[in-house]
Amino acid sequence: MTAAAQTATYREALREALADAMRADGDVIVMGEEVGLYGGAYGVTKDLIGEFGAARVLDTPISEAGIVGVAVGAAMTGLRPVAEIMYVDFAGLVMDQLGNQAAKIRYMFGGQTGVPMVLRTQGGTGRSAAAQHSQSLESWFAHVPGLRVVMPATVNDAYHLLRQALTKPDPVVFIEHKALYVSKGTLDKDKPDAPWGAPVLRRAGGDAVIVAYSRMVHEALAAAETLAERGVEAAVWDLRCLNPMDLDPILESVRACGRAAVVTESCLTGGFAAELSAQISEHCFDRLEEPVIRIAGEDVPIPVAPDLEAASIPTPGLIADAMAWLVSREAPAWA
Amino acid sequence: MSDVARASNRPLLDLYRTMRRIRSFEERVGEMFVRQGTAGSMLHLSIGEEGVAGVCAAMEDGDSFTTHHRGHGVFLARGGEPGRMLAEIGGKEAGYCAGKGGSMHIADMGVGHLGANAIVGGGIPHAVGAALSYKTKGIDAVSVAFFGDGAMQQGLLYESMNMAALWSLPVLFVCINNQYGMGTRIDRAAANTDFAARAEAFGLAGRHVDGSDVEMVLETAAAAMTTARSGTPGLLTMTCYRFFGHARMDKSPYRDAAEEAEGRGHDPVAAARARLLDRSEAREADLDALDAEAAQEMDAALDWALAQTQPPGAAMFDHVYAPDEPPPQPLRDRLSDVLREYR
């Protein structure tokens, strides 16, 4: 921690990152629905229009595909747009412009140009927002070569990963978590938690490894607390970046203890947890004492009923139960 | 009117030459597939649409454009070099995109070609984005989105038109209406086929022109470009007829010979030739010589392109990301990493 360290919310850190990037680089513009006068549906872009004006903080019509498509063209011709898609659930409307255009232009054009843009969006449960405003769709983006995908869990990462994303030559899908906007933490503008692409060990532990990202890092840490009371020490790794992704430190950690779980809020089938599990299994096969387990969201649309919504994703209690079972073969009550 | 068109004392002859080059080029594209075999199977020819040369002549250096899957003619008219174009279409390393893109993804930042697109309507918002850059950065340029009548039925076009009008961006939307979206004639795709009328609904300057009259195309496009440059974006629709099928394998079973004969009667190249002779702006022998010159140019380009080689295997992983960024790991490397640990 340096002298510049301060306490901030995740939302404030994001806003600071945008403002600092816009001050540093006149080509950075912010565009999206309600990013200007309204200040952003979750307040991330509040007051930016006052400092930077309507030409650089561009309120758009409700035209998600168009927003991303315009950002692609702007990025190819000298601007560095931050296109906001209000909810990641609207990805279906933008996937052509993102997956077929932004992601592939550098390749299809033989490297003549890149698409240096950031698509900011947010996902996840926690506000009883139901099936079309609560999903975790990172695996859709991570499946497309050409897209970088990052998902900050902490205040400091919210700031630094967004600043770093705004220096990258390729399109970055930056997925925030709606339940983290009010979370508080230390923001040290002079000190990123780790380099771009590297995971961070949020808690050390020698009995098992938990890999998570975004909000699930916090659920995993809470689970690790209760596990410690039960005599199980779990390491918690925060992946931070799904692409690029440096898994080596995590693999080393898994080899040392032979037990690993991947925790995602995203539903199980075909999800990024499967990719992580497969890679850990491939690389740590002869050091694993137990199968790598996936603790993921239920394979259901997110229900609006708060109790059902909360039950549809991994909780600290569930994670702790599963980890205890994995480590000490002590079956939980529900098994 | 562009510098090129203004400087020429015989603009129709210049337009005729451009159109003849486009037609000769497209004929070689068809031949290329026959001679080369498999590479570049997605070939959509713009024969019958050469009147678009008039729009291209109304553009200035520094203007940019996007095209669609049938965009060879536009690129050629805006300065595309036929050898490198054919090389790209054939998947050769010497092509504009190093053999990675092909006909439907050809691009050349050098002449402002922001890319052809294989998704109908997919490149339209990129032209709007370029115009946003120009306006934001104070650059005097217009971006032109070329697309076919098929894209008139895509929602993204209307998102793009709305934003362009809302923000007063220097954009010209150009619909090359060749009457067909693949095998579906426009009257089977839209209840109201007066596409230019849609401009007004969005606050755009709408114009319509007969694509078989290239002089009228130039005049109309020049007016549209002037309007766009001053911040009122426009939609220009140009009617023409797609002389051949959608793509190489399409024998057009969905339309009859009488219709094709009538459609091919609206030939912009033949019309320009007749007018040049009629107005005594050129002699038959001059035009024959010009035609032969275009044919020779394209023959040489085709021979050169066919002699080029495909990109080396390692090029597979280039340009997925920027050069200094972490590249994808090749499958064999990954398998080696995994299996070496246990052996």
Side-chain angles (χ1 to χ4, degrees):
Chain A
M1 197 179 295
T2 72
Q6 55 183 299
T7 298
T9 63
Y10 187 87
R11 169 167 38 218
E12 287 162 352
L14 292 164
R15 188 189 308 147
E16 282 290 298
L18 289 172
D20 286 348
M22 293 179 86
R23 287 173 198 132
D25 180 352
D27 289 333
V28 174
I29 64 164
V30 169
M31 57 186 293
E33 296 155 11
E34 310 297 351
V35 298
L37 294 179
Y38 193 104
Y42 284 90
V44 172
T45 55
K46 188 166 179 285
D47 297 336
L48 290 182
I49 195 169
E51 179 174 351
F52 301 102
R56 290 183 69 196
V57 183
L58 195 56
D59 275 321
T60 68
I62 302 173
S63 304
E64 284 84 4
I67 292 165
V68 177
V70 169
V72 168
M76 291 171 71
T77 50
L79 291 178
R80 189 178 274 281
V82 182
E84 178 175 324
I85 297 300
M86 199 184 286
Y87 286 78
V88 75
D89 311 69
F90 309 161
L93 293 162
V94 309
M95 277 310 270
D96 179 66
Q97 285 301 320
L98 195 59
N100 274 330
Q101 314 292 344
K104 296 179 172 66
I105 277 174
R106 182 186 295 280
Y107 193 82
M108 295 190 300
F109 299 173
Q112 289 185 64
T113 183
V115 183
M117 64 174 281
V118 173
L119 186 142
R120 265 192 62 238
T121 187
Q122 58 80 27
T125 62
R127 292 182 60 84
S128 188
Q132 297 172 347
H133 282 71
S134 304
Q135 297 169 86
S136 299
L137 299 177
E138 60 273 15
S139 58
W140 292 18
F141 310 116
H143 194 61
V144 182
L147 295 180
R148 301 301 194 186
V149 183
V150 301
M151 297 182 72
T154 68
V155 168
N156 212 42
D157 269 354
Y159 179 84
H160 286 287
L161 288 175
L162 187 49
R163 286 300 306 271
Q164 289 165 355
L166 279 164
T167 66
K168 294 298 169 187
D170 298 309
V172 178
V173 180
F174 189 93
I175 310 175
E176 300 153 17
H177 197 295
K178 64 170 69 63
L180 294 179
Y181 283 128
V182 295
S183 65
K184 283 189 176 143
T186 302
L187 168 60
D188 187 340
K189 289 190 180 183
D190 293 336
K191 197 167 180 297
D193 287 356
W196 179 256
V200 168
L201 182 65
R202 299 289 183 197
R203 179 193 173 102
D207 295 325
V209 166
I210 304 175
V211 185
Y213 50 83
S214 190
R215 177 204 193 172
M216 281 299 129
V217 170
H218 303 284
E219 313 302 275
L221 287 169
E225 287 293 318
T226 59
L227 282 166
E229 290 163 15
R230 293 155 75 169
V232 175
E233 289 298 332
V236 176
W237 282 93
D238 177 359
L239 194 65
R240 305 165 72 241
C241 300
L242 282 62
N243 180 354
M245 179 174 75
D246 175 11
L247 213 50
D248 287 348
I250 295 175
L251 297 176
E252 205 169 306
S253 177
V254 174
R255 286 190 194 104
C257 66
R259 292 174 176 83
V262 181
V263 183
T264 66
E265 181 167 337
S266 170
C267 64
L268 181 81
T269 304
F272 202 72
E275 176 61 34
L276 290 168
S277 167
Q279 291 206 33
I280 294 168
S281 299
E282 281 181 334
H283 287 283
C284 305
F285 177 71
D286 61 352
R287 307 293 281 275
L288 288 172
E289 300 290 339
E290 303 284 348
V292 179
I293 58 170
R294 291 170 293 159
I295 306 171
E298 302 286 1
D299 277 329
V300 298
I302 306 297
V304 74
D307 289 352
L308 288 183
E309 179 195 34
S312 72
I313 64 165
T315 58
L318 177 68
I319 298 166
D321 281 352
M323 295 310 294
W325 198 2
L326 188 74
V327 173
S328 49
R329 307 210 167 179
E330 162 198 332
W334 43 263
Chain B
M1 196 175 291
S2 75
D3 293 340
V4 175
R6 236 190 332 257
S8 173
N9 53 6
R10 290 192 296 180
L12 182 57
L13 188 64
D14 291 339
L15 290 168
Y16 176 80
R17 180 185 290 111
T18 302
M19 292 195 296
R20 175 54 72 189
R21 288 179 73 237
I22 293 172
R23 185 158 299 182
S24 286
F25 179 88
E26 295 290 44
E27 287 163 358
R28 299 317 182 276
V29 170
E31 187 185 334
M32 183 173 197
F33 189 89
V34 174
R35 281 171 62 183
Q36 176 169 295
T38 54
S41 65
M42 302 297 277
L43 302 176
H44 310 90
L45 305 183
S46 60
I47 294 177
E49 307 179 5
E50 293 89 344
V52 78
V55 182
C56 297
M59 295 169 65
E60 308 268 3
D61 288 350
D63 291 342
S64 62
F65 60 103
T66 62
T67 66
H68 55 329
H69 59 285
R70 204 178 298 283
H72 301 160
V74 172
F75 186 18
L76 196 67
R78 287 304 301 157
E81 195 273 301
R84 289 187 67 200
M85 287 177 67
L86 286 164
E88 185 57 40
I89 291 166
K92 305 300 181 67
E93 191 180 15
Y96 272 102
C97 304
K100 303 286 255 317
S103 168
M104 296 195 294
H105 307 300
I106 202 163
D108 177 17
M109 299 307 123
V111 299
H113 188 351
L114 301 179
N117 215 294
I119 306 296
V120 172
I124 295 169
H126 306 171
V128 179
L132 178 65
S133 284
Y134 302 150
K135 183 172 182 184
T136 305
K137 295 164 84 77
I139 296 167
D140 177 21
V142 176
S143 196
V144 182
F146 291 95
F147 49 89
D149 46 278
M152 290 303 297
Q153 275 57 254
Q154 284 279 38
L156 186 56
L157 171 64
Y158 301 103
E159 296 186 18
S160 301
M161 281 169 38
N162 181 52
M163 284 189 272
L166 179 68
W167 297 329
S168 303
L169 298 178
V171 186
L172 181 62
F173 300 93
V174 177
C175 173
I176 303 169
N177 180 358
N178 69 14
Q179 316 295 313
Y180 280 89
M182 203 167 166
T184 302
R185 201 168 59 197
I186 52 170
D187 58 352
R188 295 176 59 226
N192 181 351
T193 58
D194 179 6
F195 297 146
R198 297 183 190 181
E200 199 181 329
F202 287 86
L204 298 169
R207 289 180 174 84
H208 173 75
V209 70
D210 173 2
S212 69
D213 182 345
V214 71
E215 284 184 305
M216 191 56 75
V217 175
L218 173 60
E219 189 181 318
T220 309
M225 288 296 287
T226 300
T227 310
R229 208 173 292 281
S230 69
T232 300
L235 168 67
L236 170 63
T237 59
M238 183 192 94
T239 44
C240 51
Y241 190 76
R242 196 187 71 204
F243 281 19
F244 300 105
H246 165 70
R248 204 181 64 87
M249 302 299 285
D250 176 12
K251 306 300 180 210
S252 307
Y254 41 81
R255 61 191 195 185
D256 59 33
E259 185 203 294
E260 289 196 343
E262 206 281 325
R264 289 174 189 166
H266 299 275
D267 183 337
V269 185
R273 185 182 179 98
R275 191 175 289 178
L276 283 165
L277 294 173
D278 189 48
R279 296 201 308 226
S280 301
E281 289 182 24
R283 292 174 306 169
E284 189 101 39
D286 297 335
L287 296 179
D288 288 347
L290 192 152
D291 291 356
E293 192 183 311
Q296 282 161 14
E297 179 196 8
M298 300 308 165
D299 280 339
L302 178 58
D303 288 342
W304 180 82
L306 286 170
Q308 302 305 306
T309 55
Q310 289 186 48
M316 170 98 74
F317 302 99
D318 293 343
H319 310 309
V320 180
Y321 303 101
D324 294 334
E325 290 289 304
Q329 187 180 26
L331 176 61
R332 286 171 182 77
D333 291 358
R334 200 182 66 73
L335 289 172
S336 300
D337 277 0
V338 170
L339 295 175
R340 190 180 293 124
E341 287 170 26
Y342 309 121
R343 276 158 182 84

